[in-house]
């Protein structure tokens, strides 16, 4: 279907635009995001495309710089989560038996603790910077991927080609890296994109609750500032709406991208499951 | 059992952390806390005793309903939480029930008519809705319906007039409408996805083909044969979604100033009230566990092939 492909490329394009904005933030943004750049609470004009906030910082520049934090939170978290999920998932699924049992029981227990409230408690205690936050989210969120990858590996581990390779005398490490990993890779890819989306929303949510890293500009803290300091009451839409739209945009693009990819790889999965 | 393990893990996590309550609490009072004050506080809270001692007293305390003492409320944590829990349930239960019903109905239809225009539209709409962060959705709903259209109150759970007339049910419902609406939107997409997937699986089963071969009409097959079977996996999955709803309620309650657990979480975060936060985490865990046990209990009634206690459930 051409529509599916269009969605794939369009969403990929949007994600790339965000990445470019994050990379070239210093070039694009007209002002330093922390500096006082004009009168406070100014409405949009030629110099300040989205006006200024209550601290007289340029909102447009903050929006541009905020892209960095969002992408770091999402992608770093997703890398950690997927690497952990894949490694543990493959090992547990491939060896099975006691190792698998131990991993699964541990997961069962950990999964009863709700992700976000736990993250909040950890954040309060550790007061992490943005990188540590991403890693913590990745580790906690990776628990779910372990389960998904592992169940896929379980059926692969007894597939004929794996048993055959084993009979040829291949080492376990070789089989896992060369035969199991490539087969779960599409699944891992989709998981990576959905995790990135999830972690971006969660990371910005943290900022919104006032748990963000104060040294970084992020959209969550921008929304928090706007809604706390009069953005709603005064109806200052240029302060309140752009950061939220920006989050929604990247989140939508990633969701579409994941969905389009899933559709593409699905047929192969169904064949393999037999 | 599971709860016991969670309590243990909670204890371990909280004690592995750098820093502790007292340092954190005293930071709010002193720039640099005098050592004798730290010592006195540590003694008062029993933090100078051996770890094993602390663990057992914490564990027993939790079982006996002693969940610690909130620093900001100056009341027992469990008191504060159980008071707020009621208000959370007031919006959480209707939102959950509505989203389950709507999610199942729309998801079943969408999955049954796979590939049709209606299905594609619904699916795209749901992907769109799911990608919008809950806090953003809540803010927009608040802005549009309460601020610009002025249809509903901006926040709180009763009007000021409640001071004279007492709490009026209609008034509470009026305040609860927007939070419920938002939470509903937040969770209906999840239910929809699950139901649609489940329906896609069911639609390919042999007994559906048989029903078709019998010449039954489409909607009868959907209602009589497909729906019931596709709903089975939903029972456990809905319980798993519970944690997501709790997270959603943190944002929704904060934005609508709804005085439940979610807003309590936010308040506890603002003042760094750790005992309270820890209690909330414990309560959230408890809710998730109860929901899961509930699902396990209900399952045999929905699916008679599974008996409680047998290891057959997947």
């Amino acid at each position: 279907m051409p529509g599916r492909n269009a969605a794939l490329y369009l969403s990929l394009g949007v994600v790339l635009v965000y990445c470019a904005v994050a990379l070239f933030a210093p070039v694009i943004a007209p002002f330093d995001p922390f500096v006082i750049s004009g009168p406070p609470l100014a409405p949009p004009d030629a110099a300040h495309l989205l006006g200024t906030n209550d601290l007289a910082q340029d909102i447009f520049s903050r929006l541009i710089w905020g892209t960095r934090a969002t992408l770091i939170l999402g992608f770093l978290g997703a890398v950690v989560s997927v690497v952990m999920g894949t490694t543990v998932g493959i090992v547990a699924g491939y060896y099975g038996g006691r190792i698998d049992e131990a991993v699964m029981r541990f997961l069962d227990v950990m999964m009863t603790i709700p992700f976000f409230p736990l993250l909040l408690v950890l954040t309060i205690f550790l007061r992490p910077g943005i990188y540590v936050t991403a890693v913590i989210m990745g580790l906690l969120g990776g628990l779910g991927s372990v389960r998904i990858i592992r169940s896929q590996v379980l059926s692969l581990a007894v597939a004929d080609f794996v048993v055959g390779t084993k009979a040829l005398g291949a080492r376990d490490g070789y089989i896992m890296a060369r035969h199991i990993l490539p087969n779960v890779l599409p699944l891992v890819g989709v998981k990576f994109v959905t995790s990135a989306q999830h972690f971006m929303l969660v990371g910005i949510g943290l900022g919104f609750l006032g748990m963000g890293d104060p040294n970084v500009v992020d959209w969550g803290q921008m929304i928090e500032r706007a809604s706390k300091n009069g953005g709603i009451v005064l109806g200052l839409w240029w302060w309140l709406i752009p950061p939220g739209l920006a989050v929604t945009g990247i989140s939508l693009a990633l969701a579409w991208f994941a969905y389009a990819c899933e559709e593409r790889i699905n047929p192969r999965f169904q064949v393999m499951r037999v | 059992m599971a709860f016991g393990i969670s309590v243990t893990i909670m204890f371990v996590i909280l004690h592995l952390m750098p820093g502790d309550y007292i340092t954190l609490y005293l930071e709010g009072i002193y720039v640099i806390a005098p050592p004798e004050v730290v010592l006195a506080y540590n003694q008062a809270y029993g933090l100078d005793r051996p770890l094993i001692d602390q663990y057992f007293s914490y564990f027993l305390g939790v079982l006996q309903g002693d969940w610690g003492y909130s620093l900001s409320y100056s009341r027992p944590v469990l008191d504060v939480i159980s008071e707020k829990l009621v208000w959370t349930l007031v919006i959480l239960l209707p939102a959950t029930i509505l989203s389950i019903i709507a999610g199942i109905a729309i998801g079943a239809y969408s999955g049954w008519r796979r590939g049709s225009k209606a299905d594609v539209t619904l699916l795209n709409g749901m992907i769109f809705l799911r990608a919008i962060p809950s806090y953003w959705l809540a803010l927009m709903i608040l802005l549009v319906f309460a601020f610009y259209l002025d249809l509903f109150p901006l926040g709180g759970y009763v009007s000021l007039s409640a001071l004279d007339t007492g709490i009026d049910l209609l008034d509470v419902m009026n305040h609860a409408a927007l939070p419920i609406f938002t939470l509903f939107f937040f969770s209906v997409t999840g239910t929809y996805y699950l139901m649609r997937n489940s329906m896609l699986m069911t639609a390919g089963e042999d007994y559906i083909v048989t029903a078709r071969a019998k010449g039954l009409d489409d909607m009868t097959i959907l209602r009589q044969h497909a729906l019931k079977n596709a709903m089975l996996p939903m029972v456990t999955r809905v319980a798993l979604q519970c944690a997501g709803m709790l997270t959603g309620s943190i944002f929704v309650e904060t934005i609508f100033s709804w005085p439940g657990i979610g807003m309590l979480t936010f308040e506890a975060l603002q003042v760094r009230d750790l005992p309270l936060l820890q209690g909330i985490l414990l309560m959230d865990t408890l809710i998730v566990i109860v929901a899961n046990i509930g699902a396990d209990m209900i399952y045999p009634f929905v699916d008679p092939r599974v008996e409680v206690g047998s290891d057959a459930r997947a």
Side-chain angles (χ1 to χ4, degrees):
Chain A
M1 222 198 290
R4 193 68 68 212
N5 264 338
L8 188 71
Y9 293 124
L10 188 69
S11 52
L12 188 61
V14 173
V15 175
L16 288 179
V17 167
Y18 272 81
C19 292
V21 168
L23 261 180
F24 298 114
V27 186
I28 303 172
F31 294 95
D32 183 301
F34 291 103
V35 89
I36 293 176
S37 63
L41 295 181
D45 58 30
H48 304 279
L49 283 178
L50 292 170
T52 55
N53 66 6
D54 58 331
L55 295 176
Q57 296 156 333
D58 182 49
I59 294 175
F60 181 68
S61 304
R62 289 179 76 77
L63 194 67
I64 298 292
W65 279 91
T67 318
R68 285 196 169 179
T70 311
L71 294 187
I72 290 171
L73 282 170
F75 288 127
L76 180 60
V79 167
V80 173
S81 150
V82 159
V83 167
M84 184 191 91
T86 314
T87 321
V88 180
I90 288 183
V91 169
Y94 180 76
Y95 286 108
R98 238 179 239 164
I99 298 178
D100 185 40
E101 186 72 13
V103 170
M104 291 320 280
R105 287 297 83 77
F106 177 73
L107 281 187
D108 281 347
V109 174
M110 285 307 286
M111 298 281 269
T112 56
I113 304 179
F115 168 78
F116 195 69
L118 179 60
L119 182 65
L120 287 176
V121 172
L122 289 175
T123 318
I124 272 220
F125 248 121
L126 301 173
R127 296 177 201 180
I130 180 167
Y131 296 102
V132 183
T133 307
V135 172
I136 296 177
M137 285 197 300
L139 289 179
L140 291 180
L143 298 175
S145 343
V146 171
R147 214 172 247 216
I148 296 169
I149 306 281
R150 174 245 179 202
S151 61
Q152 191 75 34
V153 174
L154 273 187
S155 56
L156 281 173
V158 292
D160 287 343
F161 68 93
V162 171
V163 179
T165 321
K166 228 185 258 182
L168 287 175
R171 278 174 298 115
D172 286 346
Y174 176 83
I175 297 178
M176 280 189 266
R178 281 304 176 83
H179 292 280
I180 308 266
L181 183 63
N183 278 299
V184 292
L185 221 46
L187 185 65
V188 170
V190 171
K191 196 72 203 151
F192 176 80
V193 180
T194 51
S195 317
Q197 182 215 2
H198 180 216
F199 294 147
M200 280 178 197
L201 295 189
V202 170
I204 290 171
L206 276 181
F208 177 76
L209 290 178
M211 294 288 109
D213 183 344
N215 302 315
V216 179
V217 191
D218 84 54
W219 294 334
Q221 294 180 57
M222 286 175 73
I223 304 178
E224 185 219 5
R225 240 201 132 69
S227 62
K228 241 191 201 166
N229 299 354
I232 296 180
V233 184
L234 302 173
L236 308 176
W237 57 265
W238 55 85
W239 189 11
L240 199 55
I241 292 185
L245 271 187
V247 193
T248 311
I250 181 97
S251 160
L252 258 177
L254 287 173
W256 269 111
F257 187 63
Y259 177 69
C261 289
E262 218 169 22
E263 288 275 295
R264 283 204 152 188
I265 60 173
N266 235 347
R268 276 193 56 209
F269 267 42
Q270 250 132 40
V271 174
M272 269 167 31
R273 230 179 252 148
V274 177
Chain B
M1 170 61 189
F3 185 60
I5 298 175
S6 322
V7 174
T8 309
I9 290 178
M10 210 84 69
F11 180 85
V12 172
I13 288 174
L14 291 176
H15 280 265
L16 281 178
M17 304 262 195
D20 57 89
Y21 289 163
I22 303 306
T23 328
L24 218 55
Y25 176 60
L26 291 179
E27 254 177 28
I29 307 173
Y30 298 98
V31 181
I32 299 163
E36 55 270 31
V37 176
V38 177
L39 197 69
Y41 266 93
N42 273 331
Q43 264 165 4
Y45 284 89
L47 292 178
D48 53 348
R49 286 183 292 154
L51 218 52
I52 269 288
D53 248 30
Q54 286 188 47
Y55 170 68
F56 279 114
S57 65
Y58 175 70
F59 198 102
L60 283 177
V62 167
L63 290 185
Q64 288 165 357
D66 171 16
W67 287 22
Y69 210 73
S70 160
L71 302 174
S72 56
Y73 275 79
S74 302
R75 283 169 55 196
V77 167
L78 195 57
D79 263 21
V80 182
I81 292 181
S82 48
E83 184 187 302
K84 303 282 185 181
L85 185 61
V86 180
W87 287 105
T88 290
L89 292 181
V90 167
I91 58 169
L92 209 61
L93 284 182
T96 313
I97 293 168
L98 274 178
S99 76
I100 290 175
I101 295 173
I104 285 181
I106 307 172
Y109 182 78
S110 188
W112 189 242
R113 291 274 148 85
R114 162 178 43 174
S116 71
K117 222 172 217 164
D119 174 40
V120 174
T121 317
L122 278 171
L123 186 62
N124 287 346
M126 288 293 176
I127 292 178
F128 183 77
L129 203 57
R130 195 175 176 72
I132 303 176
S134 55
Y135 35 94
W136 179 244
L137 187 69
L139 261 178
M140 286 304 105
I141 288 179
L142 179 72
L143 215 55
V144 171
F145 289 95
F147 186 74
Y148 285 117
L149 297 180
D150 207 13
L151 292 176
F152 293 96
L154 272 169
Y157 67 110
V158 284
S159 317
L160 277 177
S161 63
L163 286 176
D164 310 320
T165 57
I167 293 178
D168 176 27
L169 190 63
L170 262 173
D171 188 33
V172 172
M173 273 164 57
N174 192 25
H175 281 80
L178 283 186
I180 292 178
F181 190 57
T182 315
L183 266 181
F184 164 73
F185 267 125
F186 173 70
S187 65
V188 75
T189 54
T191 325
Y192 166 85
Y193 267 132
L194 295 176
M195 188 61 197
R196 184 175 176 274
N197 276 340
S198 176
M199 187 50 103
L200 287 182
M201 298 286 214
T202 312
E205 296 279 354
D206 289 342
Y207 55 80
I208 301 292
V209 181
T210 313
R212 256 185 230 289
K214 282 198 302 189
L216 293 179
D217 85 291
D218 211 38
M219 275 298 145
T220 315
I221 306 177
L222 173 59
R223 268 197 301 268
Q224 303 288 331
H225 297 265
L227 195 57
K228 281 184 192 161
N229 286 296
M231 268 167 63
L232 288 180
M234 296 298 292
V235 178
T236 37
R237 297 251 169 97
V238 164
L240 286 176
Q241 262 197 303
C242 190
M245 287 292 272
L246 286 171
T247 304
S249 75
I250 295 178
F251 294 111
V252 171
E253 286 180 13
T254 304
I255 288 166
F256 290 103
S257 329
W258 185 263
I261 301 260
M263 196 161 108
L264 190 68
T265 314
F266 180 67
E267 287 171 6
L269 285 175
Q270 298 296 306
V271 297
R272 318 256 149 179
D273 187 344
L274 245 151
L276 184 55
L277 211 58
Q278 192 188 350
I280 292 171
L281 181 55
L282 214 53
M283 179 53 90
D284 285 350
T285 311
L286 194 60
I287 293 175
V288 173
I289 292 172
V290 167
N292 280 314
I293 293 175
D296 278 354
M297 305 277 268
I298 292 172
Y299 207 88
F301 291 101
V302 191
D303 186 352
R305 289 171 296 183
V306 180
E307 278 170 41
V308 183
S310 76
D311 272 342
R313 72 195 146 97

